[in-house]
Amino acid sequence: MSIQFDAQTKTFRLETLKTSYVMGISEYGHLLHLYFGKKIGNDDIRVLFAGKIKTGFCPVPNGCDKKYSLNTLPQEFSSDGVGDFRYPSITVVNSDGSYAFEGKYEGHRIYKGKYRLDGLPSLFANENEKADSIEIDLKDSVTGVCVTLYYGVFEEKNIITRAVTVKNEGSLPVSLRRIMSFSLDFRRSGFDFIHFYGHAYLERLTERQHVTHAACEISSAKGIPGHEHNPSVILCDSDATEDFGECYGAALLYTGNFLCGAKLDQFNQTRFVMGINPEKFEFILGCKDKFTAPEAVLSYSSEGFAVMTHQFHDIFRENACKSKYMKQRRPVLVNNWEATRFDFNGDKIVDIAIEGKKLGADLFVLDDGWFGKRNSDSAGLGDWTVNREKMGGELSDVIKRVNDAGLMFGLWFEPEMINEDSDLYRNHPDWVLKIPGRNPALCRNQLVLDITRPDVREYLIKSINDILDNNNIEYVKWDFNRYLTDVYSLLADSRHQGEVFHRFVLGFYNLLDSIILTHPDILFEGCSGGGGRFDGAMLCYQPQIWCSDQTDAVWRTKIQYGTSFAYPVSSMGAHVSACPNKKTGRTVSFKTRAAVAMSGTFGYELDTTKMTDQEKEECAHYTELFKKYYDIITFGDYYRLTSPFSNSGYCAWEHVSKDKSECLVTVVTLEALPQEHTAYIKPKGLDENAIYIIEGADIKLTGKTMMNAGIPFNMFIGQYESRQYYIKKI
Ligand code: GLA
């Protein structure tokens, strides 16, 4: 068992191969956080915490000794209103109006297997995989509010998950105003906070700041995680690098409003929290009601970011999504969006597909515009019936022609949205999120359906499943093209409007359960104006997510770099698009566009009917290369060799097969670099003593020589050019 409770010392130990996580019940019943980090001995480490900090102005709970303060001791789940002034893990407004929660240990359960959560996605253990769980109950004896902390331990993957439920075991209703999925206390400073910020067309750029007494905080109040911040962060030693230093990666499995923060307290101790954003959040818990907070995944490494990343990638690849496409090869697709936008008909679609086949594509995706009266973004959303006039007949006829050309067929949906100019809105104006007496804000001419309502979900499930069940559709792109405003549900009374944001997320997961899980043979790809909904929860349903609407290869090196810290390469939707790029006007060679898209799911997003034969041949060559390297890219270990944000003038990354027998190194020049310079690119993760050759070059070296001396890269190849080195053990 990877989880132990020592009744003598009242400590809990959670152990993975490389990590220890220790908690202890204090003499007064509070659950203290004793340690999380590199594996330690099985000692009684309470001695390390014997010296308490002097508690000037730090309250002492009634009945406790004078040096005992919740404000200074490391808490496992911090209380609120009773003496800890740092980030609370929970805020409860009790029936008498008081703001207080003080959880004391009540009991625990340790069991084999991974816990699951009601209504929310969570990681699972595979057959024959060792995973254990523990639930620890903390109860407020005055109000009866009971918090249960959940921990899942994936021993071999070095991953610990956390989640929380809150149950009202009192006799009067309480209002839950804040709930964090985890809180981690460190009795030290010296951390940096790394997060991934941006906007639509430029998601998950990397920012690193020192954790000080002023909070480092990121959040979303947009209803989805959004483009501006991502619910994956790293707390690390200030000198941590790819290969050095302690780092604590955290990813929240939640597709709604989130908050993550790290801050030093007055004694230079660090508290790190993550959970649902308390802004505009309130959940009323009647007697016996239970609230479930989302799961957080913690990946700890004592050896820098690369190991943390590999652990994240392995768990998201193997323990999040049950789609057959997690193991089975995924098709290379060609999508018509950048080629046609709304301006197409059935024949044009079939032509793009037929020419796409010449590029080596296996799947054609018909993007937005095939339904209702959808000829621009101002009409049709919500009307999930085929526009036969535009398609020149039945959808099934177009699909047949695409299938006859040798391609699978995929279709675009944006289920949670509605245009005012749609039959759905004309029939059900009350089905949208809007505040009585206000005109709701529009974004891309659309409103958001109130999917907290069962009748709205029923309509969506029926109309979408009808299309999926009556046509040979093998792929779905599920989009979401605006944030939530005017959040108010006609279904809820005024006391419960603070629940709507979260209920929207629950409604969304219910839609995914009823549409995605009922179609196990369809490959689903998530999307939200590119990567506005790129989070671990989505990866529990969809093997891949469109990374960004920014298809400029140079910007993509930065977007994919940031995305890679937590999320696997196999999840990053990446396509070759036409040049000059529609968003930046930049021209980049096919070779570089392909090299960058290969570090993702690979596909095409261009008008194949407008390409020359030579261009098609070139594309077919890159598709073939991608297919050749598919296993290393999709299932191998990913290394960031240099940062695209550095001033070296180039960036490099690498995919290494798990058995270290082969790897693919890609280098892209970000500037035109002078002739006299040769850069030495140092691959990582090779077998030190094995001999490797670089395909197409007369270089044969031991792994340790290659990794330490590097392989020469002639930088005089021009700006935005690239080289790929396929290295194989002999
Ligand atoms: C979003 C997506 C695009 C495309 C359009 C269609 O912006 O990110 O890829 O599907 O919607 O409207």
Side-chain angles (χ1 to χ4, degrees):
M1 212 44 165
S2 58
I3 303 176
Q4 302 289 342
F5 176 64
D6 184 334
Q8 196 79 43
T9 60
K10 294 198 177 145
T11 49
F12 298 95
R13 300 181 75 90
L14 282 49
E15 306 270 7
T16 72
L17 289 183
K18 296 185 184 170
T19 317
S20 302
Y21 191 117
V22 190
M23 301 166 259
I25 305 165
S26 79
E27 62 269 47
Y28 302 110
H30 302 105
L31 188 64
L32 302 184
H33 177 78
L34 300 186
Y35 180 80
F36 180 28
K38 192 172 177 173
K39 195 143 188 166
I40 54 172
N42 196 12
D43 309 290
D44 179 3
I45 63 167
R46 287 176 310 161
V47 291
L48 303 176
F49 298 91
K52 294 167 192 162
I53 298 171
K54 203 169 168 302
T55 54
F57 272 75
C58 291
V60 174
N62 203 334
C64 299
D65 72 77
K66 282 197 178 134
K67 283 189 173 172
Y68 186 96
S69 173
L70 298 178
N71 197 37
T72 59
L73 286 163
Q75 307 290 323
E76 189 58 28
F77 186 80
S78 44
S79 58
D80 193 26
V82 293
D84 186 344
F85 299 117
R86 298 171 289 177
Y87 277 131
S89 297
I90 185 168
T91 299
V92 184
V93 183
N94 301 300
S95 55
D96 58 2
S98 65
Y99 286 68
F101 175 84
E102 182 181 7
K104 289 200 178 179
Y105 173 79
E106 268 279 303
H108 72 269
R109 297 160 293 285
I110 297 175
Y111 49 89
K112 282 195 184 309
K114 167 74 198 331
Y115 65 80
R116 302 299 301 218
L117 300 174
D118 291 341
L120 290 166
S122 59
L123 301 182
F124 57 82
N126 289 296
E127 227 177 288
N128 304 325
E129 182 175 39
K130 215 171 152 221
D132 299 314
S133 300
I134 177 169
E135 297 173 17
I136 305 176
D137 301 326
L138 306 177
K139 192 166 181 175
D140 185 301
S141 59
V142 177
T143 61
V145 171
C146 183
V147 162
T148 301
L149 308 181
Y150 292 71
Y151 299 79
V153 180
F154 290 87
E155 192 176 352
E156 274 147 25
K157 289 202 165 91
N158 292 304
I159 290 286
I160 293 179
T161 64
R162 291 187 55 174
V164 179
T165 60
V166 185
K167 193 167 175 199
N168 181 4
E169 289 178 358
S171 51
L172 295 164
V174 300
S175 153
L176 183 65
R177 303 277 175 95
R178 175 186 176 101
I179 180 75
M180 292 294 111
S181 291
F182 75 79
S183 169
L184 275 175
D185 278 359
F186 300 89
R187 299 196 104 182
R188 68 163 175 113
S189 58
F191 283 114
D192 278 2
F193 182 76
I194 300 177
H195 68 101
F196 307 98
Y197 73 100
H199 57 79
Y201 317 132
L202 224 50
E203 302 88 335
R204 292 174 299 286
L205 304 179
T206 310
E207 196 162 69
R208 181 170 182 160
Q209 62 195 104
H210 196 52
V211 177
T212 66
H213 299 88
C216 295
E217 243 183 48
I218 57 159
S219 64
S220 164
K222 302 179 167 83
I224 58 169
H227 306 79
E228 196 176 340
H229 291 300
N230 189 267
S232 64
V233 295
I234 304 164
L235 188 78
C236 62
D237 282 342
S238 289
D239 53 358
T241 64
E242 287 291 339
D243 315 295
F244 174 81
E246 290 201 284
C247 34
Y248 297 83
L252 193 68
L253 270 53
Y254 190 58
T255 318
N257 293 343
F258 74 96
L259 171 111
C260 179
K263 190 159 96 170
L264 285 183
D265 71 7
Q266 55 192 324
F267 302 110
N268 295 328
Q269 309 184 103
T270 307
R271 178 165 288 174
F272 177 34
V273 299
M274 199 170 194
I276 293 177
N277 190 351
E279 195 181 313
K280 301 188 190 69
F281 170 82
E282 177 181 21
F283 229 87
I284 308 292
L285 295 179
C287 179
K288 299 285 177 253
D289 281 354
K290 190 167 111 178
F291 181 87
T292 305
E295 177 166 282
V297 181
L298 301 173
S299 173
Y300 167 80
S301 157
S302 61
E303 310 158 69
F305 307 130
V307 168
M308 175 207 74
T309 283
H310 296 161
Q311 292 168 177
F312 265 139
H313 287 194
D314 287 348
I315 202 98
F316 279 129
R317 250 187 330 233
E318 294 164 22
N319 302 78
C321 183
K322 290 193 169 148
S323 163
K324 68 176 186 184
Y325 283 108
M326 296 315 291
K327 293 196 178 116
Q328 189 171 310
R329 235 169 217 249
R330 296 186 216 158
V332 167
L333 67 84
V334 55
N335 177 305
N336 72 304
W337 176 247
E338 287 204 17
T340 64
R341 304 270 156 156
F342 297 101
D343 186 15
F344 61 82
N345 57 31
D347 289 340
K348 175 74 185 173
I349 289 310
V350 174
D351 287 348
I352 293 179
I354 290 172
E355 294 308 306
K357 183 71 191 165
K358 296 184 186 156
L359 273 47
D362 310 299
L363 163 79
F364 169 77
V365 179
L366 174 52
D367 211 282
D368 196 354
W370 56 269
F371 52 89
K373 299 236 163 23
R374 183 87 170 154
N375 293 313
S376 74
D377 62 21
S378 58
L381 272 180
D383 295 340
W384 299 111
T385 46
V386 179
N387 184 339
R388 289 191 187 81
E389 204 183 315
K390 187 168 179 179
M391 298 301 286
E394 297 298 328
L395 179 63
S396 53
D397 296 335
V398 175
I399 296 179
K400 182 162 184 320
R401 288 165 70 197
V402 171
N403 289 161
D404 288 347
L407 290 110
M408 299 154 75
F409 185 87
L411 203 56
W412 179 96
F413 288 91
E414 194 180 357
E416 302 100 302
M417 296 294 166
I418 182 167
N419 286 118
E420 284 168 305
D421 186 0
S422 67
D423 291 341
L424 188 67
Y425 188 77
R426 281 182 279 276
N427 293 333
H428 299 283
D430 53 333
W431 274 14
V432 301
L433 292 176
K434 65 177 172 196
I435 302 170
R438 278 178 197 277
N439 282 330
L442 286 167
C443 193
R444 211 190 184 212
N445 301 310
Q446 62 200 55
L447 295 172
V448 185
L449 282 168
D450 179 4
I451 57 167
T452 70
R453 297 173 66 120
D455 50 357
V456 172
R457 294 202 301 272
E458 214 173 288
Y459 162 77
L460 290 173
I461 293 164
K462 183 166 178 343
S463 50
I464 292 170
N465 283 351
D466 267 358
I467 294 185
L468 299 184
D469 294 338
N470 294 310
N471 293 285
N472 188 23
I473 291 164
E474 298 180 80
Y475 162 105
V476 165
K477 178 174 173 186
W478 187 312
D479 216 333
F480 188 95
N481 281 322
R482 64 160 290 175
Y483 299 141
L484 271 52
T485 62
D486 306 273
V487 174
Y488 187 98
S489 173
L490 289 176
L491 216 61
D493 66 29
S494 59
R495 279 178 68 235
H496 292 85
Q497 292 299 329
E499 300 176 7
V500 177
F501 268 115
H502 181 67
R503 288 195 187 280
F504 186 90
V505 180
L506 296 180
F508 174 52
Y509 294 144
N510 176 267
L511 282 182
L512 298 179
D513 287 340
S514 313
I515 298 174
I516 295 190
L517 300 189
T518 53
H519 293 92
D521 288 329
I522 295 181
L523 171 60
F524 284 86
E525 175 156 356
C527 181
S528 172
R533 203 155 65 169
F534 207 125
D535 66 78
M538 296 310 299
L539 292 180
C540 293
Y541 290 100
Q542 303 168 333
Q544 58 196 58
I545 302 173
W546 182 226
C547 212
S548 176
D549 272 345
Q550 181 58 266
T551 54
D552 173 289
V554 175
W555 275 115
R556 271 291 182 127
T557 61
K558 296 187 168 69
I559 294 169
Q560 292 174 197
Y561 171 86
T563 309
S564 77
F565 280 87
Y567 307 116
V569 175
S570 60
S571 67
M572 293 186 215
H575 300 164
V576 175
S577 65
C579 273
N581 184 275
K582 290 212 165 109
K583 297 264 167 3
T584 61
R586 180 157 36 199
T587 295
V588 174
S589 67
F590 256 120
K591 184 176 184 173
T592 297
R593 280 179 272 160
V596 173
M598 266 187 221
S599 195
T601 56
F602 196 79
Y604 294 96
E605 187 105 7
L606 34 70
D607 193 342
T608 55
T609 64
K610 292 191 179 143
M611 295 169 80
T612 64
D613 285 346
Q614 199 199 332
E615 284 173 335
K616 280 181 213 157
E617 259 171 52
E618 214 183 330
C619 283
H621 165 70
Y622 294 121
T623 309
E624 215 172 287
L625 270 189
F626 173 70
K627 289 183 178 177
K628 175 175 164 196
Y629 301 136
Y630 185 90
D631 285 349
I632 327 177
I633 293 170
T634 309
F635 304 113
D637 284 333
Y638 180 78
Y639 288 92
R640 295 166 292 269
L641 299 182
T642 65
S643 163
F645 296 97
S646 78
N647 58 6
S648 64
Y650 65 91
C651 65
W653 61 90
E654 182 197 20
H655 310 272
V656 188
S657 65
K658 287 278 180 192
D659 67 0
K660 300 176 189 287
S661 66
E662 47 182 350
C663 80
L664 180 69
V665 172
T666 304
V667 192
V668 175
T669 57
L670 300 174
E671 278 167 35
L673 295 161
Q675 189 169 18
E676 54 273 15
H677 287 106
T678 297
Y680 286 84
I681 311 291
K682 297 179 177 176
K684 294 182 180 176
L686 302 181
D687 184 344
E688 291 212 329
N689 297 316
I691 313 273
Y692 290 87
I693 50 163
I694 302 178
E695 194 179 64
D698 192 17
I699 296 182
K700 185 170 157 191
L701 294 167
T702 56
K704 62 181 151 205
T705 303
M706 254 187 212
M707 290 194 291
N708 291 309
I711 52 176
F713 165 64
N714 173 3
M715 309 223 281
F716 192 57
I717 56 171
Q719 194 178 27
Y720 311 142
E721 284 302 334
S722 58
R723 290 282 178 273
Q724 287 189 296
Y725 302 91
Y726 173 63
I727 302 173
K728 199 170 168 40
K729 190 165 158 179
I730 52 169

